[in-house]
Amino acid sequence: MIEMQQVKKTYPNGVTALNGIDINIDPGEFVYLVGQSGAGKSTFIKLIFREEMASSGQIRVNNKDLLEMKWRDVPLLRREIGVVYQDFKLLPKMTVYENVAFALEVVEESPRQIRKRVMEVLDQVGLKNKARFIPDELSGGEQQRVAIARAMANYPKLLIADEPTGNLDPDTSWEIMKILEEINGTGTTIIMATHSKEIVNTIKRRVIAIEGGLIVRDQHRGEYGYEV
Ligand SMILES: Nc1ncnc2c1ncn2[C@@H]1O[C@H](COP(=O)(O)OP(=O)(O)O)[C@@H](O)[C@H]1O
Ligand SMILES: [Mg+2]
């Protein structure tokens, strides 16, 4: 699903965020990305959906070569990938329903299909009854559930989440993890950057540790491994 060979990323200001990444992630995996702030986790994530481009190396995602890919083909790639952020990134003036529908309207679905799919994904995250609310009327955990629903609207094969529980209290974080585990259970690959030792050490999955732009550890059912 994701193959990287000798991937390097140097930003225009000269900072090298990734310095030779080799990794394979298979369909259906659940992977935690751990590492201290500035390690390169967000850069790794951004390379996967071509938010940023690698400076050198090879990246293949869903059998697409991301370095060869033309700009006009980037939207097609992104349709296959759902993205969730720490700060939710919902549109504040739109309702929950509209925030999710928006993700489908850009791919020109029929109105009937849109309605059906929006209610389906809202049901999946337990928010069908809040479709008419706006983000400000929701708790942080609910807002993140909307963001997950939006990310899942197009049936992505891959869901990437950059510190999705970073702004949430522990109880709410577990709710979010339960939803992510359910999504992974249906076959969707998940990559999640996190600083939560509790989550990584409780729900044991593959752990990829990044330090100074390099993978320093890659363990099946790994531990968080950093003092926090
Ligand atoms: N857009 C950018 N321009 C320049 N430097 C960046 C940019 N984004 C991140 N960096 C730098 O790249 C390094 C890795 O950052 P990042 O990938 O955000 O790490 P993490 O998510 O692990 O905290 C840091 O030194 C950071 O300052
Ligand atoms: Mg980050």
Side-chain angles (χ1 to χ4, degrees), residues 48-67:
I48 295 171
F49 64 105
R50 267 278 300 253
E51 173 83 6
E52 291 287 349
M53 236 178 125
S55 311
S56 63
Q58 291 277 333
I59 307 182
R60 295 184 72 80
V61 175
N62 290 343
N63 282 318
K64 297 179 170 75
D65 184 328
L66 266 55
L67 277 93

Side-chain angles (χ1 to χ4, degrees), residues 33-198:
L33 269 186
V34 304
Q36 279 152 9
S37 279
K41 303 180 297 297
S42 294
T43 302
F44 180 93
I45 279 175
K46 286 174 185 166
L47 292 183
I48 295 171
F49 64 105
R50 267 278 300 253
E51 173 83 6
E52 291 287 349
M53 236 178 125
S55 311
S56 63
Q58 291 277 333
I59 307 182
R60 295 184 72 80
V61 175
N62 290 343
N63 282 318
K64 297 179 170 75
D65 184 328
L66 266 55
L67 277 93
E68 294 282 303
M69 183 176 282
K70 297 192 173 65
W71 274 111
R72 65 163 187 270
D73 293 327
V74 171
L76 259 167
L77 168 80
R78 292 193 183 153
R79 220 173 279 175
E80 298 173 351
I81 303 173
V83 187
V84 172
Y85 301 92
Q86 177 170 4
D87 60 357
F88 324 131
K89 296 199 193 298
L90 299 175
L91 297 163
K93 290 185 177 149
M94 288 194 183
T95 64
V96 165
Y97 182 93
E98 289 162 347
N99 265 280
V100 178
F102 191 67
L104 289 166
E105 275 151 14
V106 293
V107 286
E108 296 163 15
E109 296 271 355
S110 74
R112 197 171 141 267
Q113 267 309 109
I114 290 175
R115 184 166 174 77
K116 181 165 171 279
R117 183 60 183 155
V118 172
M119 293 320 282
E120 214 168 70
V121 282
L122 285 179
D123 194 26
Q124 211 179 340
V125 299
L127 283 177
K128 227 165 91 176
N129 59 338
K130 298 209 167 158
R132 298 290 157 206
F133 286 50
I134 59 165
D136 261 355
E137 296 169 330
L138 302 177
S139 68
E142 287 171 334
Q143 290 184 54
Q144 191 59 297
R145 277 147 62 192
V146 176
I148 293 171
R150 176 183 59 186
M152 292 308 295
N154 288 310
Y155 304 95
K157 298 177 197 156
L158 171 63
L159 180 67
I160 49 190
D162 197 350
E163 305 194 31
T165 65
N167 282 356
L168 305 175
D169 61 58
D171 284 351
T172 311
S173 299
W174 291 117
E175 280 174 33
I176 295 298
M177 288 311 297
K178 189 164 166 269
I179 292 170
L180 294 181
E181 281 200 284
E182 280 167 13
I183 290 170
N184 180 241
T186 66
T188 309
T189 310
I190 297 191
I191 299 176
M192 169 177 163
T194 184
H195 281 118
S196 172
K197 185 177 180 173
E198 291 70 27

